[in-house]
Amino acid sequence: QVQLVESGGGLVQAGGSLRLSCAASGRSFSGRALGWFRQAPGKEREFVAAIRWSGDSTYYADSVKGRFTISRDIAKNMLYLQMNNLRVDDTAVYYCAVQLPFRPLITTTPSMYTSWGQGTQVTVSS
């Protein structure tokens, strides 16, 4: 059974940086994509970034492109999200999840992902 555990959230001033981590266990993620999503109070969960476990493909939401970088460490079974130049509207709970199998392309729809972590809070102050 897949288990994902996020960490690294916190309180940071606008313009600052944070690195989120997602510890993945329970299976091989070969051929799968892993993604980061976020959900702000009163809003729907939205896609942030995703990466194929092979590392040959990444995809970002327009709102984070150029500021956030997704990466993974296969040896450690870790997924990361480096967030730079944070803005107040980046405030949300951030989740990692695994894309459903047998889908060669990265998708941005939350319903196409499974094994959600418990989330980590990111708060950006002005």
Side-chain angles (χ1 to χ4, degrees), residues 53-126:
W53 197 242
S54 61
D56 61 355
S57 181
T58 59
Y59 193 76
Y60 295 91
D62 287 343
S63 60
V64 307
K65 204 171 293 183
R67 301 187 298 123
F68 291 11
T69 302
I70 190 170
S71 63
R72 88 282 179 264
D73 185 326
I74 292 178
K76 296 181 179 179
N77 253 24
M78 293 290 295
L79 178 71
Y80 302 103
L81 185 69
Q82 177 66 44
M83 306 186 295
N84 298 328
N85 193 20
L86 282 160
R87 309 187 306 214
V88 173
D89 60 0
D90 292 319
T91 296
V93 177
Y94 284 71
Y95 301 89
C96 58
V98 182
Q99 187 169 303
L100 294 174
F102 311 120
R103 285 161 174 79
L105 300 178
I106 289 176
T107 61
T108 63
T109 306
S111 62
M112 294 292 105
Y113 287 77
T114 185
S115 303
W116 295 85
Q118 84 290 347
T120 186
Q121 175 71 47
V122 172
T123 302
V124 184
S125 63
S126 59

